[in-house]
Amino acid sequence: MVGPILEVVDVHFAYPDGTQALAGMSLTIERGSKVVFLGPNGAGKTTLFLQLNGILRPSQGVVRFDGNDLRYDRRSLMELRKNVGIVFQDPDSQIFSASVLQDISFGPFNLGMSEEEVRGRVQGALAAVGIESIADRPTHFLSLGQKKRVAIAGVLAMEPQVIIFDEPTSSLDPKTAKQLLILLDDISRDGKTVVISTHDVDIAYSWADRVYVLESGRVADAGTPQEIFLDEAMLERVDLTQPWIVDVWRELRDNGYLPPNALLPRTKSALLALIRSRLCHSFRITDLVSERAAINERG
Amino acid sequence: MIHIDQYAYANRLRAVHPGEKLAFAAITAGICLASPSLIGQLAILMTMAAATVAIVGIPWRFYLKLMLVPAAFLLAGIVTVAVSFSSQPDPGLHGIDLWGFAVGIRDRDFVVASSLVARSLGTVSCLYFLSLSTPMVEIIGVLKRCRVPAVLVELMTIIYRFIFVLMETTRQIHTAQVSRLGYHSLSASYRDLGQLTSCLFHRSMLKSQMLFVTLSSRCYSGEIRVLEPRRRLSLRRGLLIGGIDAVLLAVALATRGWQRW
């Protein structure tokens, strides 16, 4: 099951007010991958996502799903949206019902399922995002993190192959954001293709398989996280900073604390392990202090 | 509003089938509206208040406060019904003399006004019983089963949800205004309220457009179908409701001729 699931080929799109949101964008999303889109506001991330789900239609260029050009008749769109789900940034604009259960059941019912099947799907989605305990609560009494989970469950219940998250961690506190990323990993492990947009380079670096940097409706750069975040000149040009892991690793390497061929770690724990392994080769100041204390005691 | 909703989701009758609660409230309200007797209306008011406080479990202080909301409107209404003016001395007018005008209440008007109060509060108590014991979502579900047109049901669903979104937006805009010295004088208040309203309107439009996009992305095709909670109808409660309403109806009919002051 490899190969591209979504392809965007030279897509142009302008909004009715004249804003050129996409100006010849081309990219490929591999099946089962974790893709991050970076880029300033207005770079075209949300517009791109709406193209992938058939809400917007390119004025030029094509979008392909599973190797086939998108068609925009009702039936083809239903088929596409069944397979490509979007979790929007603001859950308040996505959750239409005051009941958690009802909101999540909306998508599966639209797929023409029976009530029994829908109940199964809803229970599955509730369990997957870990909100069984609030299934009976009204949506307007939920916290932002809980609302985001409801919105995600509403899309998960349709069991799409690709799930797109528009800035999933925005306005969340660090703990909630971390839990959400774990949830995204779980979804990815289930074999789904997960696409997110974010402004957080640390998240992009540690989480993604592939990173796209967007700028003014085009792809400014694409590659693995390591490729993207070692390209300082490009990062500077599009006003992105380096992830702290890359910063620290570079500093240690350039000053001789790490060998020049040391691999760039992806996660904080990998970086710490790397540092610890280097420390074994040298003495530790604490050892020295305790040795001195022992000598003093004897003397 | 928020408090009513909180009670609706957390009360002792939460697990009861919404159809039963809706039927009880609606039938009793019907009896109250049709009741020819003041005693009957008062009996309904008392029964519903007792049911709401003792059975649904609403604190009586909160319930009294809620009852005061329509009471304020009622007061304004009954003054115009009950109080009469006359330029000639009128023996039927119980009241005082003000600069040659007789101001007071006629017997007949008093009866009409008191019946108006009892009827209104009685019906409101039925409404409160329902709204404090049953979440809106479940009431809408019952209406749907009663074959209320889908478009109305869907509108109710979305309107109800967006009341809260709109309230939150209003609060945010208001805070933003006040934090920059909005509403500091009467004229400023008028201007700021106007801005708040237009801003709210604009945002509502955006929200509704966005909602259409988000619904479409979940395969919306003109019909909203959702799961309804599963609740069991109980014959025992059905009989209880029937019994209470029969008694109330009997009281209303039996005391029909009592108001002859």
Side-chain angles (χ1 to χ4, degrees), chain B residues 80-146:
Chain B
T80 55
V81 172
V83 179
S84 304
F85 296 87
S86 175
S87 53
Q88 275 113 41
D90 186 341
L93 206 59
H94 311 290
I96 50 168
D97 192 53
L98 276 179
W99 304 290
F101 280 97
V103 180
I105 300 171
R106 287 199 177 86
D107 284 346
R108 188 171 44 84
D109 292 344
F110 181 75
V111 172
V112 171
S114 53
S115 147
L116 188 67
V117 172
R119 202 184 295 268
S120 311
L121 289 182
T123 319
V124 163
S125 70
C126 298
L127 186 67
Y128 280 170
F129 171 81
L130 181 65
S131 51
L132 287 166
S133 68
T134 319
M136 195 63 196
V137 173
E138 295 190 11
I139 300 177
I140 295 172
V142 174
L143 294 180
K144 198 170 176 181
R145 264 194 217 155
C146 297

Side-chain angles (χ1 to χ4, degrees), chain A residues 139 190 243 272 279:
Chain A
T139 47
D190 269 357
L272 293 182
L279 283 177

Side-chain angles (χ1 to χ4, degrees), chain A residues 40-62:
Chain A
N41 295 327
K45 298 187 296 281
T46 305
T47 311
L48 170 69
F49 292 166
L50 295 177
Q51 295 276 357
L52 297 180
N53 182 258
I55 299 280
L56 297 177
R57 192 176 177 161
S59 51
Q60 190 189 321
V62 286

Side-chain angles (χ1 to χ4, degrees), chain A residues 50 53 55 74 78 81-82 86 88 90-99 102-103 105-107 109-111 113 115-116 118-119 122 136 138-141 154 158, chain B residues 2-3 5-6 9 14 137-138 141 157-158 160-162 164-165 168 207 210-231:
Chain A
L50 295 177
N53 182 258
I55 299 280
R74 199 186 177 83
M78 289 292 265
R81 289 170 189 168
K82 180 179 150 188
I86 305 184
F88 290 85
D90 177 13
D92 272 336
S93 64
Q94 177 165 354
I95 299 170
F96 72 93
S97 171
S99 148
Q102 290 199 346
D103 193 82
S105 69
F106 172 73
F109 267 126
N110 288 340
L111 300 183
M113 296 180 163
E115 190 175 327
E116 275 322 300
V118 172
R119 258 178 219 284
V122 170
D136 204 31
T139 47
H140 47 269
F141 292 148
M158 300 173 75
Chain B
I2 288 274
H3 289 295
D5 220 53
Q6 270 164 343
Y9 279 94
R14 178 75 172 87
V137 173
E138 295 190 11
T157 303
I158 292 178
Y160 177 66
R161 161 83 184 120
F162 278 85
F164 294 95
V165 175
E168 178 57 22
K207 284 258 186 214
M210 199 57 207
L211 183 71
F212 183 69
V213 167
T214 57
L215 288 183
S216 300
S217 82
R218 283 199 281 164
C219 295
Y220 175 62
S221 55
E223 187 207 6
I224 294 179
R225 237 191 109 191
V226 288
L227 278 182
E228 302 299 341
R230 277 182 180 159
R231 304 227 190 277

Side-chain angles (χ1 to χ4, degrees), chain A residues 218-254:
Chain A
R218 281 192 201 86
V219 175
D221 203 359
T224 64
Q226 284 99 333
E227 287 165 1
I228 292 291
F229 290 110
L230 283 174
D231 187 348
E232 273 182 297
M234 185 278 299
L235 291 178
E236 185 124 347
R237 191 161 52 76
V238 295
D239 279 330
L240 282 175
T241 52
Q242 279 199 328
W244 73 266
I245 294 176
V246 179
D247 258 348
V248 171
W249 174 81
R250 195 191 289 266
E251 188 69 16
L252 290 173
R253 191 195 57 176
D254 292 354

Side-chain angles (χ1 to χ4, degrees), chain B:
Chain B
M1 173 86 195
I2 288 274
H3 289 295
I4 296 179
D5 220 53
Q6 270 164 343
Y7 284 121
Y9 279 94
N11 64 74
R12 289 191 216 134
L13 292 190
R14 178 75 172 87
V16 172
H17 193 288
E20 296 172 21
K21 293 182 276 190
L22 183 60
F24 182 46
I27 295 171
T28 316
I31 296 174
C32 186
L33 286 173
S35 165
S37 113
L38 185 71
I39 307 286
Q41 289 152 0
L42 287 177
I44 286 172
L45 175 58
M46 290 303 146
T47 311
M48 278 309 199
T52 312
V53 173
I55 300 175
V56 182
I58 305 301
W60 63 270
R61 276 171 189 282
F62 178 72
Y63 189 72
L64 274 186
K65 257 192 241 168
L66 268 187
M67 270 298 179
L68 285 179
V69 177
F73 288 104
L74 261 183
L75 196 68
I78 56 168
V79 165
T80 55
V81 172
V83 179
S84 304
F85 296 87
S86 175
S87 53
Q88 275 113 41
D90 186 341
L93 206 59
H94 311 290
I96 50 168
D97 192 53
L98 276 179
W99 304 290
F101 280 97
V103 180
I105 300 171
R106 287 199 177 86
D107 284 346
R108 188 171 44 84
D109 292 344
F110 181 75
V111 172
V112 171
S114 53
S115 147
L116 188 67
V117 172
R119 202 184 295 268
S120 311
L121 289 182
T123 319
V124 163
S125 70
C126 298
L127 186 67
Y128 280 170
F129 171 81
L130 181 65
S131 51
L132 287 166
S133 68
T134 319
M136 195 63 196
V137 173
E138 295 190 11
I139 300 177
I140 295 172
V142 174
L143 294 180
K144 198 170 176 181
R145 264 194 217 155
C146 297
R147 313 260 165 208
V148 171
V151 63
L152 278 182
V153 171
E154 287 168 13
L155 269 177
M156 285 171 81
T157 303
I158 292 178
I159 290 173
Y160 177 66
R161 161 83 184 120
F162 278 85
I163 286 173
F164 294 95
V165 175
L166 216 59
M167 265 181 8
E168 178 57 22
T169 316
T170 312
R171 199 187 56 75
Q172 285 168 357
I173 300 173
H174 186 260
T175 309
Q177 287 178 319
V178 170
S179 71
R180 282 175 289 165
L181 296 181
Y183 304 97
H184 62 86
S185 68
L186 188 64
S187 63
S189 297
Y190 277 116
R191 194 191 58 223
D192 294 340
L193 190 64
Q195 277 175 349
L196 183 136
T197 315
S198 71
C199 189
L200 209 55
F201 183 72
H202 182 68
R203 288 203 195 172
S204 309
M205 291 297 290
L206 285 179
K207 284 258 186 214
S208 70
Q209 282 168 4
M210 199 57 207
L211 183 71
F212 183 69
V213 167
T214 57
L215 288 183
S216 300
S217 82
R218 283 199 281 164
C219 295
Y220 175 62
S221 55
E223 187 207 6
I224 294 179
R225 237 191 109 191
V226 288
L227 278 182
E228 302 299 341
R230 277 182 180 159
R231 304 227 190 277
R232 257 194 221 145
L233 283 167
S234 133
L235 182 66
R236 210 166 54 96
R237 283 194 298 261
L239 290 175
L240 186 67
I241 292 169
I244 293 174
D245 277 333
V247 171
L248 289 173
L249 186 64
V251 170
L253 291 175
T255 58
R256 177 162 40 173
W258 286 16
Q259 301 158 8
R260 295 271 156 94
W261 295 309

